[in-house]
Amino acid sequence: MINRKIVMIPGPTPVVRSIQDQMGRDTCAFGDAAFVKDYKEVIDGVKEMFQCDGQAFVLAGSGTMAMEMAIANSTKAGDNMLIVSHGFFGDRFLDVIKRKGINVDIMQSEWGKVFTPEEIKAQLKTKKYAAMTVTHVDTATGAKAPIEEIGEMMKEFPETIYIVDGVAASAGIDERMTDMNIDIILTGSQKAFGVAPGLAILCANQKSLARRKELGDTIPEYFIDYEKWIPIMNDPSKYFGTPAINLIWAMQESLRIIKAEGLENRYARHKKISAAMRAGLKALGFSILAEEGHQAETLSNVLYMDGVDDVMFRNLVQEEGIIVAGGLAAYAGKMFRIGHMGNVDTHDLISSMAAIERTMYRMNLLKKEELGKGVAALMQGLVD
Ligand SMILES: Cc1ncc(COP(=O)(O)O)c(C=O)c1O
């Protein structure tokens, strides 16, 4: 009997049937009046969700495009920029920025740890930075940055655009631009929104929109220029680039699901399931890379005990029906990464833990009479 496969990597995440149905609809003309209304609803919904006082952009693309869009509309060649990196995706900003003639400083934490607002403040005091990036959750480490506390500290640096990469956090962990003093949030559709990959999402507050104006009539980038898209975001019956129609419908359904659940409830659910998943993993003898107090609600990066063959482990977990991701860079072969975000349900979580246990049994890492230890700890956390 072949097990059905559940994708539990940290994005893309399981896409529920009602969202899949939207992607399977007959594609209409982008000027179709009903679609124009749907697109506007999505743009307004995103804006409201992130408490954005400026402009939301929902475009065909991936998270990386939104990263580049944030930089392109905040800085010009010769500016200083600070990257606060807690891992692989924080470092990616360096790749983006290096091409643009921007003077960049990067703070790189040990993987699994995050910088405090005080440490960042000390760096910000050394020169005038046009912009700063912070990755809310670095998917390579599972560590969560204190974006709210950093935002509070940023009030002392009003000339710096505070950019938060929410790709592995948005819709699973609280992100409110006005309350948290964030100027740009960028994200994608494929993680805690529970939509298939393909949408880049960016919210820019009034300060960010004003910075774009200061950069002049044109910037070197074309497709990701705020100014090209603002007229379309305000009136999606206008054309600049063909919208990803079916993904916009999928996003509309995702926002409907989020609204029905309630944002507060959704964030609380992510807290609960992440704690329960980690309790189960720890009961099985694993440890978590991210330090206590900074472990993300959306995914866990799980360190193997000595002697576990990563490829064999992940292949067997896959045979048991669950797909998890491997570690990146120095952690390749040393850990696996599992997502627990978006529209994952209790069945997904319990099946994942049980598949991990069956794998451990097959690899002689768990005795027959020990089977159920992880699931028991998980379920105790879920009913608490
Ligand atoms: C934190 C973070 N930022 C940016 C990205 C890049 O997004 P994408 O792969 O959609 O381009 C990812 C992808 O996993 C991510 O996890």
Side-chain angles (χ1 to χ4, degrees), residues 123 210 228 258 287 365:
Q123 182 62 39
K228 292 283 177 208
I258 292 170
S287 50
L365 299 166

Side-chain angles (χ1 to χ4, degrees), residues 62-64 67 89 92 135 137 139 165 167-168 190-191:
S62 83
T64 306
M67 291 167 79
F89 288 100
R92 177 169 283 194
T135 311
V137 171
T139 323
D165 172 348
V167 174
Q190 74 274 26
K191 296 193 194 263

Side-chain angles (χ1 to χ4, degrees), residues 51-307:
Q51 207 189 53
C52 172
D53 71 5
Q55 181 66 61
F57 301 86
V58 183
L59 309 178
S62 83
T64 306
M65 189 181 92
M67 291 167 79
E68 187 155 16
M69 185 167 176
I71 306 298
N73 290 278
S74 305
T75 55
K76 59 181 183 318
D79 280 349
N80 296 322
M81 253 205 89
L82 177 62
I83 300 171
V84 179
S85 174
H86 299 127
F88 181 87
F89 288 100
D91 292 352
R92 177 169 283 194
F93 276 112
L94 187 59
D95 263 1
V96 178
I97 293 162
K98 271 193 315 206
R99 295 162 178 250
K100 296 181 189 289
I102 294 164
N103 307 314
V104 59
D105 291 324
I106 182 163
M107 297 172 70
Q108 284 170 306
S109 70
E110 193 185 316
W111 278 30
K113 293 193 166 35
V114 296
F115 289 109
T116 62
E118 292 68 37
E119 288 167 323
I120 300 169
K121 181 172 165 177
Q123 182 62 39
L124 285 167
K125 279 184 161 170
T126 63
K127 62 181 81 153
K128 187 169 171 251
Y129 286 103
M132 174 183 85
T133 64
V134 177
T135 311
H136 193 175
V137 171
D138 201 300
T139 323
T141 68
K144 178 180 67 167
I147 56 159
E148 184 165 13
E149 291 78 0
I150 296 172
E152 191 54 37
M153 177 275 290
M154 287 303 289
K155 288 183 179 160
E156 294 178 46
F157 302 92
E159 71 285 0
T160 306
I161 300 284
Y162 175 27
I163 300 169
V164 171
D165 172 348
V167 174
S170 305
I173 310 177
D174 196 8
E175 292 178 333
R176 278 167 290 130
M177 295 177 73
T178 303
D179 291 348
M180 299 181 180
N181 194 35
I182 296 167
D183 301 313
I184 298 178
I185 286 187
L186 64 98
T187 189
S189 52
Q190 74 274 26
K191 296 193 194 263
F193 282 106
V195 172
L199 289 180
I201 298 158
L202 186 143
C203 284
N205 72 357
Q206 289 296 342
K207 178 172 147 188
S208 163
L209 296 174
R211 169 64 60 83
R212 167 62 193 88
K213 291 261 185 248
E214 283 164 32
L215 296 177
D217 283 347
T218 58
I219 56 172
E221 294 79 4
Y222 181 70
F223 186 75
I224 52 173
D225 184 354
Y226 285 0
E227 295 297 316
K228 292 283 177 208
W229 285 107
I230 287 171
I232 286 79
M233 295 299 105
N234 287 327
D235 175 6
S237 70
K238 294 189 173 137
Y239 169 78
F240 174 58
T242 309
I245 294 171
N246 291 65
L247 283 172
I248 297 292
W249 281 329
M251 190 68 190
Q252 187 182 29
E253 174 60 10
S254 165
L255 292 171
R256 192 199 59 74
I257 291 171
I258 292 170
K259 221 171 190 161
E261 182 173 13
L263 266 181
E264 292 302 316
N265 294 338
R266 191 172 179 90
Y267 298 144
R269 174 171 62 84
H270 279 78
K271 273 207 174 88
K272 188 172 192 167
I273 63 177
S274 58
M277 281 296 277
R278 285 195 274 266
L281 291 162
K282 283 183 200 156
L284 294 172
F286 292 106
S287 50
I288 304 297
L289 173 65
E291 61 186 358
E292 261 331 307
H294 299 290
Q295 295 173 344
E297 287 90 323
T298 43
L299 71 139
S300 292
N301 291 16
V302 189
L303 295 164
Y304 292 120
M305 29 315 240
D306 284 344

Side-chain angles (χ1 to χ4, degrees), residues 316-344:
L316 290 179
V317 174
Q318 180 154 347
E319 264 181 39
E320 294 296 337
I322 300 296
I323 301 169
V324 294
L328 297 173
Y331 283 91
K334 297 190 179 134
M335 72 178 177
F336 71 94
R337 298 178 300 137
I338 185 162
H340 29 73
M341 62 178 133
N343 298 324
V344 289

Side-chain angles (χ1 to χ4, degrees), residues 358-376:
R358 293 196 298 274
T359 299
M360 292 177 77
Y361 172 68
R362 288 174 69 183
M363 291 178 76
N364 291 322
L365 299 166
L366 202 65
K367 296 195 196 87
K368 196 168 185 176
E369 55 276 18
E370 290 176 308
L371 282 168
K373 262 169 52 173
V375 169

